[in-house]
Amino acid sequence: MGHKGISVTGLVCSVAFFLLPLHSAYGDVSYSVPEEMKRGSVIGNIAKDIGLVASRLSARKARVDPDGNRKRYCDINLSSGDLIVAERIDREGLCGKKASCVLNQELVLENPLEVQRISLHVQDINDNSPQFKDEVIKIEMRESADKGARFLLDQAHDADLGQNAVQRYTLQKNDNFLLTVDSHTVELVLEKELDREQSNEIKVLLTAVDGGTPQRSGTVVIHVTVLDANDNAPVFSQAVYKASLPENSPLDTVVVTASAADADEGVNGEVTYDFAHVSEEDDKLFSIDRKTGEIRVIGTIDFEEMSYFELRIKAKDGLGKVIIDITDINDNAPELYLKSLTHSIPENASPGTEVGIINVQDRDSENNRQVRCSIQQNVPFKLVPSIKNYYSLVTTGELDRELVSDYNITITATDEGSPPLSSSKSVQLSVADVNDNPPVFEEQSYKAHVTENNNPGSSVCSVTARDPDWRQNGTVIYSLLPGEVNGVPVSSFLSVNGDTGVIYAVRSFDYEQLRSFKVHVVARDNGSPPLSSNVTVSVFITDITCCLNCGSKHFVGLIN
Ligand SMILES: *[C@@H]1O[C@H](CO)[C@@H](O)[C@H](O)[C@H]1NC(C)=O
Ligand SMILES: *[C@@H]1O[C@H](CO)[C@@H](O)[C@H](O)[C@H]1NC(C)=O
Ligand SMILES: *[C@@H]1O[C@H](CO)[C@@H](O)[C@H](O)[C@H]1NC(C)=O
Ligand SMILES: *[C@@H]1O[C@H](CO)[C@@H](O)[C@H](O)[C@H]1NC(C)=O
């Protein structure tokens, strides 16, 4: 079970040239976690640790995001607020021999947007045994070697750390040798002189044990061949060889050449070089030429994986050390991660509304990992830097769905390496409708001419109003505004089709009684609340009969 480590700290945005206050909050929570915990094990209660009621987690869409492109190592139980192990955490695979192994994950919350950095400090457990490079350590020894003569041995390697790494060596009981061990060397000491006539080969078992619980061990056979020829151990020209190597150096690059001199002459004086104990990983990156002592690159040197190597070399029984510092090359483009995005923003969102959180990472070092982010110019959005490598995407102006309903925003991240590398990401945002436009009639006012004695139900004219809003917010419904003409309700004169705006006569008109009248037609949208406007429709009744003034009151003639 993990236990909570460091306290929760709030971090404040410190970039001077953006003055907009940010609503989102950022923080840091740390936990100490032993490696290799079972999936589902509880690391801690993150809801409690960030001061949030667990029942709010679902509403706030709480989720754990892996930092960068690494795996998601933990997850959150939305009902309890527990942070649980989601993926195997192998300290050796993640951090090698590094003393501190920290996995960064992020807890993203919405409404309002919030990012909490989760730091998992991975603790070593004793899951690796000490291992010798070879199964057999071969040593050749002069018969004449004196009591007390010392012979350096390869040390065992244990991927674990501290107490879990190699603590002790023991040598199988034998007639000739003892073991001396100090913090740097393991040596075989001749305790009783050799006698080639008695035996020309001696085999003893060397065991390395670590200090973990349970304890683990590894063994190697020391195979001593007793020679009668004189032999001297070679001595390296330098105790430590130092080299600096740019990452991505091509295969076969010579890193450094070790050289050792042997006091012997002829065949016995020929020096052969080899690595003493190197890890499996280092063995895949560097080779040593047995004859020349040249150390060459045989794999991909990645500063981001490993920036420092310490190799033990040997020439027969002489031991030396090579230190290689890897220098960074700007070989990683920044990577952009969208931590949160509101895909649909209402058009009445006030300027400064946060719509997304962007995280940028660059695996390189120093200047090569300094990254600037920008978006294109002609959009009402900008990026506001927040803690370290976080940016908020906020609106800068009023949005109008009726003018621009969708935005394709391209975010570009560029590092400060030379040459700089950049990458970009596009995000799609759409503007959601708000009922902010009333229907508008196509004409300022309408005039209709109706010939008297018309059929009731015949159409008189039609009105049209337009509303650019979306769906029901832009759906127009027509109606007559209540009113009277000569004391009679307008509805007994005209009617309007609510959907089409076509106006119909309800009765037959008589020019001699009514020559003109006005009604008001309202266009109302279906929004909530609805918006409306009205227009005046003037109706003129035309006389279809003409009384020719010829004495006869009843002479009726058609004009037309
Ligand atoms: C989440 O927590 C609840 C309440 O503690 C528990 O019943 C449930 O089993 C947990 N779910 C998982 C997947 O761990
Ligand atoms: C958005 O813009 C980018 C860059 O201009 C383009 O590659 C992408 O296809 C666009 N996406 C959409 C959905 O228009
Ligand atoms: C209409 O506008 C209201 C706000 O006035 C909004 O809540 C609603 O979603 C809009 N309807 C549509 C279909 O866009
Ligand atoms: C009709 O429109 C006028 C002018 O736009 C407005 O002042 C009036 O209130 C409207 N009447 C109704 C009943 O909507």
Side-chain angles (χ1 to χ4, degrees):
M1 289 280 284
H3 50 276
K4 203 194 148 224
I6 305 159
S7 63
V8 181
T9 32
L11 293 174
V12 181
C13 142
S14 64
V15 177
F17 50 92
F18 286 97
L19 295 170
L20 206 100
L22 267 185
H23 304 295
S24 50
Y26 298 87
D28 230 324
V29 219
S30 296
Y31 297 96
S32 178
V33 192
E35 61 170 326
E36 307 287 356
M37 271 172 104
K38 265 197 277 177
R39 285 191 182 81
S41 309
V42 176
I43 298 168
N45 192 286
I46 190 157
K48 214 168 87 196
D49 295 336
I50 62 171
L52 201 69
V53 184
S55 58
R56 292 275 303 136
L57 290 172
S58 290
R60 296 204 48 195
K61 296 187 185 159
R63 60 186 183 269
V64 174
D65 248 19
D67 186 30
N69 52 2
R70 294 182 109 170
K71 282 186 198 149
R72 187 207 314 256
Y73 288 100
C74 55
D75 224 328
I76 186 164
N77 179 333
L78 290 177
S79 55
S80 63
D82 282 339
L83 196 65
I84 55 177
V85 175
E87 183 69 44
R88 177 177 173 219
I89 302 175
D90 172 27
R91 198 204 58 80
E92 289 77 34
L94 292 165
C95 302
K97 273 287 180 190
K98 276 188 238 162
S100 132
C101 184
V102 183
L103 283 180
N104 289 319
Q105 308 270 283
E106 277 150 9
L107 178 69
V108 182
L109 300 162
E110 294 185 13
N111 313 310
L113 296 170
E114 196 176 315
V115 174
Q116 299 278 349
R117 182 184 286 269
I118 306 169
S119 304
L120 302 179
H121 295 256
V122 182
Q123 307 301 317
D124 185 41
I125 65 162
N126 194 25
D127 56 346
N128 291 282
S129 300
Q131 251 187 325
F132 289 94
K133 188 191 167 206
D134 302 306
E135 280 171 22
V136 179
I137 297 176
K138 286 192 169 150
I139 292 177
E140 295 176 342
M141 225 171 261
R142 285 174 293 132
E143 187 184 16
S144 58
D146 295 329
K147 178 177 171 184
R150 288 165 177 261
F151 305 89
L152 261 175
L153 298 176
D154 287 357
Q155 292 176 29
H157 173 83
D158 189 317
D160 294 319
L161 292 182
Q163 275 297 111
N164 295 333
V166 177
Q167 299 296 317
R168 252 175 343 104
Y169 290 88
T170 54
L171 193 67
Q172 183 190 9
K173 211 166 161 22
N174 67 93
D175 292 339
N176 300 92
F177 299 103
L178 288 179
L179 201 65
T180 65
V181 181
D182 69 20
S183 57
H184 300 293
T185 55
V186 179
E187 286 173 310
L188 203 59
V189 182
L190 191 60
E191 177 66 10
K192 181 175 167 263
E193 275 93 352
L194 300 165
D195 182 355
R196 193 157 186 271
E197 279 61 50
Q198 208 170 53
S199 72
N200 62 356
E201 275 188 351
I202 301 165
K203 287 182 184 172
V204 277
L205 198 66
L206 175 65
T207 304
V209 292
D210 64 25
T213 13
Q215 199 167 51
R216 289 169 175 265
S217 64
T219 57
V220 66
V221 176
I222 302 172
H223 185 160
V224 180
T225 309
V226 184
L227 303 171
D228 60 25
N230 271 4
D231 197 11
N232 285 300
V235 178
F236 280 102
S237 60
Q238 288 168 240
V240 179
Y241 294 87
K242 284 192 177 169
S244 171
L245 178 71
E247 64 172 323
N248 306 338
S249 286
L251 297 185
D252 247 17
T253 302
V254 176
V255 184
V256 70
T257 304
S259 104
D262 193 314
D264 296 333
E265 283 182 19
V267 180
N268 284 344
E270 251 177 43
V271 175
T272 53
Y273 300 90
D274 200 359
F275 286 128
H277 56 99
V278 286
S279 69
E280 221 173 284
E281 295 81 40
D282 296 356
D283 209 28
K284 288 182 188 143
L285 298 178
F286 300 103
S287 71
I288 185 163
D289 189 303
R290 299 183 72 82
K291 282 204 170 118
T292 62
E294 280 175 340
I295 295 175
R296 289 172 188 270
V297 174
I298 57 164
T300 307
I301 308 296
D302 185 359
F303 176 87
E304 287 70 39
E305 289 291 325
M306 200 74 162
S307 61
Y308 173 89
F309 292 91
E310 199 178 301
L311 309 173
R312 296 292 174 106
I313 51 171
K314 64 177 180 185
K316 275 229 182 114
D317 301 330
L319 224 60
K321 196 197 252 187
V322 175
I323 290 174
I324 304 167
D325 272 310
I326 308 298
T327 50
D328 186 40
I329 299 286
N330 193 24
D331 60 346
N332 292 284
E335 288 170 77
L336 284 160
Y337 300 96
L338 206 55
K339 289 292 169 187
S340 183
L341 184 69
T342 311
H343 289 281
S344 176
I345 317 145
E347 54 181 326
N348 62 353
S350 52
T353 301
E354 188 175 50
V355 297
I357 296 180
I358 287 116
N359 178 237
V360 61
Q361 311 260 333
D362 193 309
R363 296 181 63 223
D364 293 314
S365 297
E366 317 219 322
N367 276 356
N368 294 339
R369 74 175 306 156
Q370 295 302 315
V371 179
R372 282 170 192 283
C373 282
S374 61
I375 60 171
Q376 74 264 44
Q377 290 294 310
N378 49 349
V379 289
F381 297 94
K382 70 173 175 184
L383 286 175
V384 180
S386 183
I387 56 157
K388 285 186 214 156
N389 41 9
Y390 285 94
Y391 289 82
S392 284
L393 183 63
V394 301
T395 59
T396 55
E398 303 280 348
L399 302 173
D400 186 353
R401 191 202 64 89
E402 286 72 51
L403 283 179
V404 185
S405 61
D406 293 281
Y407 290 95
N408 180 8
I409 295 173
T410 305
I411 300 161
T412 307
T414 308
D415 67 29
E416 289 179 7
S418 123
L421 294 175
S422 65
S423 63
S424 57
K425 189 174 206 87
S426 294
V427 296
Q428 272 71 47
L429 294 173
S430 63
V431 181
D433 190 42
V434 163
N435 194 22
D436 56 354
N437 290 284
V440 173
F441 283 98
E442 286 184 337
E443 310 283 337
Q444 294 275 83
S445 62
Y446 291 84
K447 282 191 176 69
H449 296 271
V450 188
T451 343
E452 66 172 332
N453 293 342
N454 57 301
N455 286 327
S458 59
S459 72
V460 169
C461 72
S462 74
V463 296
T464 308
R466 307 214 176 267
D467 186 324
D469 288 321
W470 184 242
R471 299 258 164 92
Q472 64 260 39
N473 292 337
T475 305
V476 179
I477 303 147
Y478 302 93
S479 60
L480 277 181
L481 204 62
E484 290 183 347
V485 176
N486 297 341
V488 182
V490 288
S491 56
S492 55
F493 289 85
L494 295 176
S495 70
V496 62
N497 180 313
D499 296 331
T500 61
V502 176
I503 297 171
Y504 300 95
V506 171
R507 59 160 74 175
S508 188
F509 298 120
D510 182 351
Y511 175 79
E512 281 67 36
Q513 279 176 14
L514 182 66
R515 294 187 179 187
S516 72
F517 61 95
K518 283 182 180 173
V519 294
H520 295 278
V521 177
V522 179
R524 173 177 284 111
D525 65 29
N526 218 353
S528 160
L531 296 173
S532 66
S533 54
N534 63 68
V535 75
T536 308
V537 179
S538 307
V539 182
F540 299 96
I541 296 159
T542 39
D543 194 10
I544 56 159
T545 60
C546 175
C547 182
L548 300 171
N549 198 6
C550 57
S552 168
K553 253 188 167 175
H554 302 285
F555 185 86
V556 173
L558 274 167
I559 299 182
N560 232 8

